[in-house]
């Protein structure tokens, strides 16, 4: 992962807005990517994943986009709610058994 | 059903003390991972177990760090002669099998503070 100390990127939105969180990954050989949500005092929680043979995958209120050309992932959250406030991390799986390399987190704050 | 649990949730140690952090994975999960998360950063891989076998310990920062999973279920991460730079949240995760695409379920972590 990249080290950015305490200065994580932040995104502030109003309740009901759509949110887009971006992530750059480092390993062009990675073929499986995951987004995690981490609330204060808790461990990361799986949100959605995508394989490298796809460029888009949708879940409930969330969509992940993958651009392998520029090694970029994004997470779109529709109709953002206050309960979505958390730190969001992208992660790459680099091994056959699932070792994760996490990217830089983004702090999402949703205002009522 | 119960998720991954970790104990203690908080640990304060004086520099030089040894600590032991426990992880109870989801029952039946084959894979178990330990990660270290410094303040304001993403988790970083420490080590991986498949059942009782430690197959990857490439992320352990020094020989002061030792992990075990003797019966293929509960795991313990031990840190000897703790130093201030060991202060972090230690996360444990488990997954059902040993596949790249298995979802990893994380515990709440143990926050270690070394004074």
């Amino acid at each position: 992962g990249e080290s950015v100390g305490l200065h994580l990127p932040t995104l502030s939105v109003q309740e009901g807005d759509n949110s887009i969180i971006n992530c750059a990954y480092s390993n062009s050989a990675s073929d499986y990517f995951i987004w995690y949500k981490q609330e204060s005092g808790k461990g990361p929680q799986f949100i959605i994943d995508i394989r490298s043979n796809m460029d888009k995958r949708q879940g409930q209120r969330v969509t992940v986009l993958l651009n392998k050309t520029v090694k970029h992932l994004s997470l779109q959250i529709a109709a953002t709610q206050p309960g979505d406030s958390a730190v969001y991390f992208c992660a790459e799986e680099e091994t056959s058994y699932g070792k994760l390399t996490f990217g830089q987190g983004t702090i999402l704050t949703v205002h009522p | 059903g119960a998720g991954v649990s970790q104990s203690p949730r908080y640990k304060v140690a004086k520099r030089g003390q040894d600590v032991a952090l426990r992880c109870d994975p989801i029952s039946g999960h084959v894979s178990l991972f330990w990660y270290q998360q410094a303040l304001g950063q993403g988790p970083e891989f420490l080590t991986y177990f498949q059942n009782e076998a430690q197959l990857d310990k490439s992320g352990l920062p020094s020989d002061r760090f030792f992990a075990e999973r003797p019966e293929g279920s509960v795991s313990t991460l031990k840190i000897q002669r703790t130093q201030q730079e060991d202060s972090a949240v230690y996360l444990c995760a488990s997954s059902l099998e040993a596949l790249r695409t298995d979802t990893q379920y994380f515990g709440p972590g143990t926050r270690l503070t070394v004074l």
Side-chain angles (χ1 to χ4, degrees):
Chain A
E2 296 159 17
S3 175
V4 292
L6 296 175
H7 303 290
L8 290 177
T10 59
L11 175 64
S12 290
V13 300
Q14 291 296 125
E15 182 176 1
D17 286 353
N18 297 331
S19 302
I20 300 176
I21 300 170
N22 297 302
C23 174
Y25 63 91
S26 56
N27 188 349
S28 57
S30 293
D31 63 358
Y32 184 59
F33 306 89
I34 311 102
W35 279 99
Y36 282 91
K37 171 186 180 183
Q38 188 173 27
E39 297 174 282
S40 180
K42 297 183 178 180
Q45 176 186 4
F46 173 91
I47 301 173
I48 191 168
D49 57 4
I50 188 168
R51 292 179 183 262
S52 61
N53 62 353
M54 305 171 68
D55 54 18
K56 180 179 179 179
R57 188 165 189 220
Q58 288 184 292
Q60 186 178 15
R61 282 201 307 118
V62 294
T63 300
V64 56
L65 300 178
L66 174 62
N67 185 330
K68 294 181 289 294
T69 303
V70 294
K71 294 191 288 186
H72 182 268
L73 273 171
S74 68
L75 177 70
Q76 301 178 357
I77 305 173
T80 316
Q81 302 168 0
D84 295 328
S85 295
V87 180
Y88 288 80
F89 293 97
C90 65
E92 311 165 57
E93 285 197 344
E94 299 186 347
T95 63
S96 61
Y97 51 84
K99 170 184 173 181
L100 296 175
T101 297
F102 285 81
Q104 183 183 63
T106 296
I107 301 171
L108 173 66
T109 303
V110 183
H111 301 282
Chain B
V4 178
S5 60
Q6 294 185 245
S7 60
R9 289 295 315 278
Y10 303 91
K11 177 69 179 177
V12 178
K14 292 183 179 179
R15 191 170 53 186
Q17 283 185 332
D18 297 348
V19 298
L21 312 180
R22 178 186 168 111
C23 172
D24 286 78
I26 295 172
S27 178
H29 277 199
V30 166
S31 292
L32 186 146
F33 301 81
W34 283 98
Y35 294 87
Q36 180 190 58
Q37 186 173 26
L39 184 63
Q41 299 186 23
E44 294 196 352
F45 172 83
L46 293 176
T47 188
Y48 165 70
F49 290 87
Q50 187 177 116
N51 295 309
E52 69 278 5
Q54 188 175 20
L55 299 186
D56 186 346
K57 51 183 180 179
S58 62
L60 296 177
S62 76
D63 59 8
R64 296 187 295 105
F65 286 71
F66 172 77
E68 61 183 3
R69 193 186 185 199
E71 297 179 359
S73 54
V74 171
S75 178
T76 304
L77 176 67
K78 297 179 180 178
I79 309 173
Q80 297 177 323
R81 304 181 304 282
T82 53
Q83 301 178 6
Q84 285 189 322
E85 61 262 32
D86 299 335
S87 295
V89 175
Y90 291 85
L91 294 163
C92 175
S94 70
S95 62
L96 181 59
E97 302 205 11
L99 301 174
R100 146 176 279 169
T101 56
D102 269 348
T103 300
Q104 289 185 34
Y105 297 90
F106 282 82
T110 294
R111 180 177 295 279
L112 173 65
T113 303
V114 182
L115 303 176

